[in-house]
Amino acid sequence: MTAIPQGRTRRGRAALATAICALAVTGSAVLTGCGDEDPDAGTNGVGKLPAGQIQAKTRAAAQGAPAVRLSGTVVTSGRTYQLDMRLKADGGTGSVTSKGATFKLLRVGKQLYLKADADFWNQADGKDGGDGAAEKLNGRYVKVPQGDPAYRKFSGFTDKDVLLDGLLTLHGTLATDGHHDDAGTRTIRITGDKGSGGSLDVSLEGTPYPLRLVRGGGAGALSFSDWGKDFAVAEPAKGETVDYGKQLPTS
């Protein structure tokens, strides 16, 4: 009998198994296991774990990653935010859209900046721009003081640990909900209370990073990518920044 090469790929083994099963059917033979390829073969193995252990491993992986990109929607306090953020330990950058207005956030260390156009500032401040403040702020990075309500409201969108800790939580009884695929990556899905408490797709390839989150109660859905991919955050040039001079609007 010819030996099967040790380096045969998983796909090759699967093709061989399919061919053997086809021959078995043709010859009216019965072979145990035909058509029952192990969905966890060649994976990182977390798909075989209980849901609680999968959640613990994916949270640990997320916390240990130096950087991540997240995009999607978050509903909080009755308001929907569309996020596209890149985050790491010492800062974050990206865009936020709410009520049709888009603004950019940049955090370098503890310093938070907000950048938006004149329409955003007019809408947020409830003014028609007659005082010229909106034009002064238009397209420039506004320094947000740490004691300002706007800092407390928006800095969390730029804080990797705070944001992920709050998001990667499923509510209710945890359970696994089968093997799935996220943009070509095999995943295992875990749910809270059969989905009403949210669902999370965890990568079965490489590090078990979370890839897609659907929050319970219709509180939004997010995709995670670029795990561990570094990016630069730097203070904007002085000519691009301005102090607001009073409490920033947060609405």
Side-chain angles (χ1 to χ4, degrees), residues 8-249:
R8 187 183 296 276
T9 63
R10 185 176 64 85
R11 183 176 297 176
R13 291 195 299 270
L16 178 61
T18 300
I20 293 174
C21 286
L23 289 173
V25 171
T26 302
S28 300
V30 177
L31 291 180
T32 302
C34 284
D36 295 331
E37 183 184 356
D38 182 1
D40 292 301
T43 71
N44 54 27
V46 298
K48 298 180 179 181
L49 301 177
Q53 291 185 31
I54 297 174
Q55 184 183 50
K57 283 185 173 293
T58 198
R59 286 177 68 93
Q63 291 168 357
V68 64
R69 181 175 184 175
L70 61 86
S71 59
T73 57
V74 171
V75 181
T76 179
S77 301
R79 187 164 179 175
T80 300
Y81 295 92
Q82 181 76 34
L83 308 179
D84 187 1
M85 301 295 301
R86 299 189 70 182
L87 311 172
K88 60 181 183 178
D90 60 348
T93 183
S95 65
V96 180
T97 301
S98 180
K99 292 185 177 180
T102 298
F103 54 94
K104 293 184 178 180
L105 292 175
L106 169 66
R107 183 176 61 83
V108 184
K110 292 184 178 180
Q111 181 60 63
L112 179 68
Y113 298 89
L114 191 154
K115 181 179 180 181
D117 60 18
D119 289 341
F120 169 86
W121 292 111
N122 280 328
Q123 176 182 320
D125 209 14
K127 296 180 179 180
D128 60 7
D131 60 359
E135 289 303 323
K136 176 185 176 183
L137 304 177
N138 180 30
R140 303 178 76 182
Y141 285 100
V142 178
K143 283 187 175 182
V144 183
Q146 292 185 39
D148 195 287
Y151 189 97
R152 295 191 294 273
K153 183 170 184 177
F154 297 132
S155 63
F157 289 146
T158 67
D159 191 312
K160 172 181 174 287
D161 291 338
V162 169
L163 193 56
L164 292 182
D165 187 60
L167 290 174
L168 298 179
T169 299
L170 302 177
H171 302 283
T173 303
L174 297 178
T176 56
D177 187 28
H179 292 70
H180 297 267
D181 180 280
D182 185 88
T185 299
R186 290 176 294 167
T187 67
I188 182 70
R189 181 172 298 167
I190 57 176
T191 64
D193 279 350
K194 299 181 179 180
S196 63
S199 68
L200 184 64
D201 281 32
V202 177
S203 177
L204 288 175
E205 301 178 16
T207 305
Y209 289 126
L211 296 183
R212 178 166 173 77
L213 169 73
V214 176
R215 303 181 73 200
L222 290 161
S223 294
F224 304 90
S225 60
D226 292 345
W227 285 105
K229 187 176 181 179
D230 196 17
F231 61 96
V233 289
E235 299 274 359
K238 289 185 178 180
E240 297 178 347
T241 63
V242 63
D243 289 319
Y244 187 66
K246 56 182 177 179
Q247 180 174 303
L248 272 69

